[in-house]
Amino acid sequence: MTQKHNISYLDYNSTTPIDSRVLDAMLPFLKNSFGNSSSTHHFGQIINESVTQARSQVAHFINSESSEIIFTSGATEAVNLAIKGVAESYKIKGNHIITVSTEHKAVLDTCKDLERKGFEVTFLPVKENGLLSLDLLEESIRTDTILVSVMFVNNETGVIQPVKKIAEIAHEKGALFMTDATQAVGKIEVDVRDLGIDLLCFSGHKMYAPKGVGALFVRKSDKRVNLTSQTHGGGHEIGLRSGTLNVPGIIALAKACEISSQEMKRNRKIISDLRNTLEYELLKIPNTSLNGDLTKRIYNTTNICFKGQDANVLIGRMKNIAVSNGSACSSAVFEPSHVLKSMGLIDDDALASLRFSLGKYNTIEDVKLVVEKIKKLTEPQ
């Protein structure tokens, strides 16, 4: 199924194909049920009921209340709303924010924008395996720290941070905890109550829904989290995100959550086996090494350094294979991965690294093709 148009697609962390069941669920809202869910007429209210049901499905998927789900255009918008919203709401308490050097650019660039506006941001380093030092985090939190933002699963290496423990440390020090869970939601169980998360962001297009829809979880129970709206004009989404709702996208996101809840365990076993086979075979190639922790990582991702190679050249020569040399959101900028450099890789090794991210439509044939092609391309000439 992944080899449509003769392409073996191993770039699921960048984006996923739409599940046909998700497409079927959203199509009626692109055709006959096209109304505005905010309209007061009967047609609009019927559609609003579908949005309400979808919100409940998404909330149930991460164990939150429906009123705690804010629909957005994706994780990047959710990240901006969360970080800037907290900064503006809590600036009387303090102006210090903590994040990590290996975060997605959505978090890093948002924090840098706040620095230009007078906020102080600490960008914590990571260890060679990509994990954050909890002792360093604890030492870095100050009385004026208002937010700690740490990515759940890294998009380039798949490294999983201990978010539950991080949340505990942040709360003990009186700070809020936010996580960009874009690469976690839909792949592994995410329970915002159990994990103690205050703010959580994710996108539909990483979990077999279309691009252009995502969500922000904003905790309201137990610990009140206040955000200042960043988009004005209509007061939609309890005043936090104005704009006519993307009803087809919202319906699609809810369906994707429903499917994930039913198939996550099965997908995990199949995808994990494929990833492990791929990784085992590729690491047989001379001068290769794994980037990131061997065990504390998501099951669909492997990031491998092919020392002495140029990742961009390899990608360009694999016309029928889709893999990545980093985040798709940064691919317009030709420079070493900031994630890998933060983990201590020199520029040449970072530029020689490839990310392989698998999904539920991959097959063993995809794996065999990729291994065969890369072995051929990396053979000494």
Side-chain angles (χ1 to χ4, degrees), residues 132-143:
L132 174 65
S133 165
L134 297 183
D135 289 338
L136 178 60
L137 170 64
E138 196 160 7
E139 293 168 7
S140 302
I141 301 178
R142 313 182 318 211
T143 55

Side-chain angles (χ1 to χ4, degrees), residues 137-157:
L137 170 64
E138 196 160 7
E139 293 168 7
S140 302
I141 301 178
R142 313 182 318 211
T143 55
D144 62 342
T145 303
I146 55 178
L147 179 69
V148 173
S149 180
V150 180
M151 199 179 212
F152 202 134
V153 174
N154 189 271
N155 56 305
E156 293 192 29
T157 62

Side-chain angles (χ1 to χ4, degrees), residues 168-220:
E168 291 173 0
I169 292 171
H171 292 157
E172 285 170 4
K173 300 278 191 171
L176 299 178
F177 174 62
M178 168 192 151
T179 186
D180 172 4
T182 306
Q183 298 293 344
V185 174
K187 295 188 182 85
I188 57 177
E189 183 179 353
V190 176
D191 184 329
V192 293
R193 293 277 174 264
D194 177 62
L195 296 171
I197 296 167
D198 296 312
L199 297 149
L200 176 143
C201 314
F202 63 100
S203 268
H205 75 104
K206 308 294 188 181
M207 51 184 295
Y208 309 97
K211 302 166 188 66
V213 66
L216 170 64
F217 159 74
V218 182
R219 180 182 293 279
K220 290 187 175 179

Side-chain angles (χ1 to χ4, degrees), residues 304-372:
I304 296 175
C305 175
F306 299 86
K307 197 172 184 66
Q309 301 291 331
D310 184 321
N312 270 335
V313 171
L314 291 177
I315 291 171
R317 294 177 69 187
M318 293 188 287
K319 302 296 184 184
N320 59 336
I321 295 170
V323 297
S324 170
N325 60 344
S327 170
C329 300
S330 303
S331 60
V333 183
F334 183 72
E335 58 184 21
S337 159
H338 73 279
V339 172
L340 299 182
K341 288 196 67 176
S342 296
M343 292 162 55
L345 271 73
I346 62 173
D347 285 3
D348 285 350
D349 287 350
L351 289 169
S353 297
L354 289 173
R355 178 190 71 184
F356 305 85
S357 50
L358 289 76
K360 66 182 182 181
Y361 297 128
N362 280 127
T363 64
I364 190 62
E365 285 72 26
D366 292 322
V367 170
K368 289 177 179 178
L369 178 63
V370 171
V371 170
E372 180 184 358

Side-chain angles (χ1 to χ4, degrees), residues 242-258:
S242 292
T244 302
L245 295 184
N246 173 10
V247 176
I250 289 168
I251 300 300
L253 180 61
K255 186 64 177 179
C257 289
E258 177 191 321

